[in-house]
Amino acid sequence: MSQNTAPRKTGSTSGAWAAGGTLFAGVLMLVTGIMDVFQGIAGIAEDDIYTRVGDYVFKFNLTTWGWIHLILGVVVAIAGFGILKAAEWGRVAGIALASLNILFQFLFLPYQPWWALFSMAVSIFVIWALATDEAYGTDEKY
């Protein structure tokens, strides 16, 4: 005997996209943090490794930029690890640090314009992915 029942909805496609986006955002934050650490080490070790593209109003010492990128990179990588562990603090910190990374990369545009633009685009994706995932913090694991 067969029963006529409506098929069960096992998961929505948008929820799967959001969960996949959150996992990818965690990986991107981890990689961006590590790249920022390397960028910071390069700025600290060798002041003339970056060249100024244009004359901008805001000017900072490259050693200072190196320390900013080093510290921000470590914190961003830790937040990326928190996102991968599905910790709520990782999501909140991820959105805040991605926003801060956009600001710092904008100020770093005169030194590395292409990398700064790429990093800003990655940070915008991270903010979108973390802000739209409804399953974050529930029992579902990524």
Side-chain angles (χ1 to χ4, degrees), residues 11-107:
S12 68
T13 306
S14 64
W17 273 98
T22 302
L23 175 65
F24 190 52
V27 171
L28 282 177
M29 292 241 352
L30 201 59
V31 170
T32 300
I34 292 169
M35 292 301 293
D36 274 353
V37 166
F38 289 144
Q39 193 174 6
I41 290 171
I44 293 168
E46 193 67 39
D47 243 2
D48 59 351
I49 196 164
Y50 298 118
T51 59
R52 180 175 289 277
V53 174
D55 193 24
Y56 288 84
V57 174
F58 46 89
K59 296 179 184 176
F60 295 105
N61 183 357
L62 283 175
T63 304
T64 305
W65 271 119
W67 283 106
I68 289 170
H69 282 293
L70 181 68
I71 293 167
L72 182 65
V74 169
V75 177
V76 166
I78 291 170
F81 183 73
I83 292 168
L84 292 177
K85 289 299 216 176
E88 186 63 31
W89 64 265
R91 179 182 186 177
V92 173
I95 292 172
L97 289 170
S99 302
L100 191 62
N101 190 43
I102 290 172
L103 175 69
F104 282 138
Q105 292 298 336
F106 176 76
L107 294 175

